[in-house]
Amino acid sequence: MSIRVEFIRRRAGGRITVRPTVYEKNEVTLGRATDCDVYLPDLRVGLQHARILHLAAGKARVEARSDYQIRINGASVRRRDVMAGDGSEIRIGPYRIELSLSE
């Protein structure tokens, strides 16, 4: 199975850019370490901050590592299952990530 992660960035003047990336595996790591699948270069992000696990068709688990927190739809959590494509907003440090499972 593959996991698609979309990076959404607001540019000066309000312009928005979206950078989708597809990972052909069931687990994707996110963090400031260069060996993470999703590299988030900001000091507010832990080296191995979180991971996304594919659970079943259309469902994924977002899980913080160590003592880190993540924000999902405004709530600070350590772990939460989300449905892909439901508009769930994942925030790690200053980064906003929306995810959907690729077909």
Side-chain angles (χ1 to χ4, degrees), residues 36-57:
C36 286
D37 298 312
V38 180
Y39 176 59
L40 303 173
D42 188 280
L43 292 176
R44 292 171 280 186
V45 176
L47 291 173
Q48 300 283 333
H49 199 102
R51 65 183 180 158
I52 299 171
L53 301 142
H54 174 257
L55 297 177

Side-chain angles (χ1 to χ4, degrees), residues 8 72-73 82-90 96-100:
I8 301 159
I72 299 179
N73 298 329
V82 296
M83 295 301 295
D86 71 354
S88 291
E89 179 184 88
I90 302 163
R96 175 182 166 205
I97 302 165
E98 291 181 10
L99 80 107
S100 62

Side-chain angles (χ1 to χ4, degrees), residues 4-76:
R4 175 185 166 108
V5 179
E6 293 183 354
F7 297 91
I8 301 159
R9 184 173 179 179
R10 292 192 189 277
R11 303 243 181 222
R15 198 175 94 223
I16 297 174
T17 59
V18 179
R19 187 187 80 204
T21 304
V22 176
Y23 299 92
E24 298 294 334
K25 52 188 178 177
N26 288 328
E27 180 179 328
V28 175
T29 58
L30 301 96
R32 192 167 32 96
T34 56
D35 63 342
C36 286
D37 298 312
V38 180
Y39 176 59
L40 303 173
D42 188 280
L43 292 176
R44 292 171 280 186
V45 176
L47 291 173
Q48 300 283 333
H49 199 102
R51 65 183 180 158
I52 299 171
L53 301 142
H54 174 257
L55 297 177
K59 190 173 185 180
R61 175 171 292 147
V62 182
E63 186 173 79
R65 295 297 202 62
S66 191
D67 292 331
Y68 299 119
Q69 294 284 316
I70 50 179
R71 294 187 70 77
I72 299 179
N73 298 329
S76 183

